[in-house]
Amino acid sequence: AQTVTQSQPEMSVQEAETVTLSCTYDTSESNYYLFWYKQPPSRQMILVIRQEAYKQQNATENRFSVNFQKAAKSFSLKISDSQLGDTAMYFCAFMNPRAQKLVFGQGTRLTINP
Amino acid sequence: EAQVTQNPRYLITVTGKKLTVTCSQNMNHEYMSWYRQDPGLGLRQIYYSMNVEVTDKGDVPEGYKVSRKEKRNFPLILESPSPNQTSLYFCASSLAGGYNEQFFGPGTRLTVL
């Protein structure tokens, strides 16, 4: 079974700093998808960024980028120029397209301080 | 507006009293899923559905039932709720295929006394 691990339960940085959230996963599949979701205090789940495993190029979305290391089974999220609105719980997630099951990590609570 | 709706948003009930949490999407998505969120555990999948009349168990299906009689609706049924089912529940939908974004409902906070 696939597992996703986020080893940082909480993180805190100052506004405008860069922060990296860690995520590792375990799978024997060669084709899969990885996601980062954001959950602000409103509880709404919002997709931040996604990566296809067969693409070597790291995905980027404005201030958000990932460092995808397939051999190491690592998928970290980098937030540049952090903003107060980035304060949220962040979840890493893994999707095996054959099983159609989305597996989430435990989450990292990120606080951006003014 | 494209959205996933859940009702109720909050529910307090007692052990053993059957309840249904409704989920509806207006995006014509084939795939729908239910998750529960608990502190320190992230979100765990309860059941999912690839299309009408096609459902399958996720990682924590015990104590839950689902049905998919219509494409837009995917209700979650707790026939005999117990306190360990106290949780935050999310419904989500997406187009078929693993790379597609899952759109989440606003969540249902359930407390079972």
Side-chain angles (χ1 to χ4, degrees), chain A residues 14-67:
Chain A
Q14 296 299 119
E15 193 175 6
E17 289 184 347
T18 294
V19 59
T20 299
L21 281 58
S22 301
C23 173
T24 58
Y25 57 93
D26 185 27
T27 184
S28 57
E29 300 288 333
S30 59
N31 185 32
Y32 48 86
Y33 307 110
L34 296 163
F35 306 84
W36 278 99
Y37 279 88
K38 168 185 178 181
Q39 186 181 45
S42 66
R43 298 189 331 205
Q44 184 66 43
M45 294 288 288
I46 303 164
L47 178 66
V48 175
I49 198 165
R50 53 186 159 178
Q51 174 84 38
E52 299 173 72
Y54 63 85
K55 287 189 175 180
Q56 292 188 338
Q57 186 172 6
N58 289 324
T60 62
E61 289 286 345
N62 302 312
R63 298 183 294 108
F64 299 87
S65 61
V66 298
N67 183 4

Side-chain angles (χ1 to χ4, degrees), chain B residues 67-92:
Chain B
S67 67
R68 187 93 181 270
K69 293 184 171 58
E70 303 168 285
K71 196 171 186 178
R72 64 183 293 128
N73 296 323
F74 191 45
L76 179 68
I77 303 159
L78 285 72
E79 295 214 324
S80 184
S82 62
N84 65 13
Q85 293 178 298
T86 292
S87 188
L88 178 61
Y89 290 87
F90 286 97
C91 180

Side-chain angles (χ1 to χ4, degrees), chain B residues 1-94:
Chain B
E1 179 189 358
Q3 60 182 347
V4 178
T5 57
Q6 291 178 231
N7 283 292
R9 295 287 308 279
Y10 300 89
L11 179 61
I12 300 174
T13 190
V14 296
T15 299
K17 186 176 181 182
K18 181 179 178 180
L19 66 93
T20 299
V21 184
T22 64
C23 173
S24 184
Q25 51 93 5
N26 62 1
M27 295 169 279
N28 202 34
H29 286 165
E30 296 87 3
Y31 183 92
M32 297 186 75
S33 183
W34 277 102
Y35 301 89
R36 60 176 290 175
Q37 181 179 357
D38 302 289
L41 297 177
L43 281 78
R44 293 177 293 168
Q45 193 173 49
I46 303 171
Y47 269 95
Y48 65 96
S49 170
M50 299 293 290
N51 214 322
V52 176
E53 302 292 0
V54 180
T55 63
D56 207 349
K57 295 178 181 178
D59 293 322
V60 288
E62 294 78 19
Y64 305 95
K65 286 178 58 177
V66 294
S67 67
R68 187 93 181 270
K69 293 184 171 58
E70 303 168 285
K71 196 171 186 178
R72 64 183 293 128
N73 296 323
F74 191 45
L76 179 68
I77 303 159
L78 285 72
E79 295 214 324
S80 184
S82 62
N84 65 13
Q85 293 178 298
T86 292
S87 188
L88 178 61
Y89 290 87
F90 286 97
C91 180
S93 74
S94 72

